[in-house]
Amino acid sequence: MTASPEDPPEGSTRRRRPVAVPLAALTAASCLAIVAALGGLATAPDRPPKRLGPGATLDQEQFTTRFVESRTVSEPGAFGGPAKRLLEIEFEVVNKGEETASMGLPYSGGPGGPSFGSSLLAITPRIGGKYGPSVSGPGGEGGQLHPALPARVVVAYELAEGQKAPRELTIDVGRYEFREGITLTPGWHLVTKGEGDRLKPVTAARVTLPVVPKGTRS
């Protein structure tokens, strides 16, 4: 039988052609080996909250919020009574969802509800008084936020007699995400971390506002 040109000479060993291995594959394999040696893939660290000030805008996914100002005002008392001193925080809010949303009250614990107010996680220094905060906007106190319509929302705290207003305040603000699942009601929920009793909302931004005296409201 006649040897073909491709057959190796008798008694010789054919050389194998080198197999090309992509550099990217080698790099990936090396990285995985290093990660495995160090104990596996690590969880990405939490992002620090954004630092914002007066006039800044934050995309909260369910809402777009502009932080207008914080101020103190006085209101004449009813029927000749003493005037009320209020610390107000004003926001301009646009509901980006497809359904009407509640203005709600600032966050008070737990996973939080699907309202704008629930995303106001903490206000420092803590502002106290005989009563808790009130929230007013379209339709007055307890109003609603309709889709795509900019709304002026005011959170107001009544200052106790003799209580001084702070020179500035800082608001921890959360963000929402839309979830669908068996254990959750489909809809907007605050972004949280932890489990069980340690479940708490994540602060997306920390907003510092000077408190501006505005005098007496007529």
Side-chain angles (χ1 to χ4, degrees):
M1 178 170 141
T2 306
S4 85
E6 294 185 359
D7 290 337
E10 208 173 351
S12 67
T13 304
R14 175 183 294 194
R15 291 183 180 179
R16 295 186 180 182
R17 294 179 181 178
V19 178
V21 178
L23 180 60
L26 290 173
T27 304
S30 300
C31 291
L32 286 173
I34 294 170
V35 169
L38 294 176
L41 295 171
T43 305
D46 292 338
R47 291 182 179 179
K50 292 183 178 180
R51 296 280 183 171
L52 303 176
T57 298
L58 176 67
D59 183 359
Q60 296 180 269
E61 300 299 333
Q62 185 182 7
F63 307 103
T64 298
T65 302
R66 187 168 74 90
F67 303 91
V68 180
E69 69 172 3
S70 178
R71 57 183 176 255
T72 55
V73 296
S74 295
E75 288 186 347
F79 307 107
K84 289 196 301 184
R85 296 167 55 245
L86 302 173
L87 189 152
E88 297 181 338
I89 311 169
E90 182 177 341
F91 310 87
E92 185 179 277
V93 183
V94 178
N95 177 7
K96 297 168 58 182
E98 298 179 354
E99 299 180 0
T100 298
S102 169
M103 287 192 299
L105 290 170
Y107 179 77
S108 59
S115 68
F116 168 71
S118 289
S119 69
L120 306 178
L121 305 178
I123 297 177
T124 308
R126 185 168 180 172
I127 305 162
K130 190 175 181 181
Y131 307 102
S134 64
V135 182
S136 60
E141 192 170 338
Q144 296 180 318
L145 301 170
H146 300 289
L149 294 179
R152 175 180 173 270
V153 177
V154 176
V155 176
Y157 293 83
E158 183 174 351
L159 297 173
E161 185 177 353
Q163 181 182 4
K164 291 184 178 180
R167 292 184 178 181
E168 65 177 23
L169 53 81
T170 299
I171 312 167
D172 288 3
V173 186
R175 180 178 277 120
Y176 286 90
E177 61 184 356
F178 195 89
R179 300 182 198 166
E180 293 187 53
I182 298 173
T183 59
L184 290 170
T185 304
W188 292 101
H189 297 264
L190 278 171
V191 176
T192 55
K193 66 179 179 180
E195 295 180 358
D197 295 339
R198 296 185 178 182
L199 188 70
K200 62 179 183 178
V202 174
T203 299
R206 195 155 279 146
V207 186
T208 300
L209 302 174
V211 179
V212 183
K214 291 285 185 175
T216 303
R217 179 181 292 145
S218 57

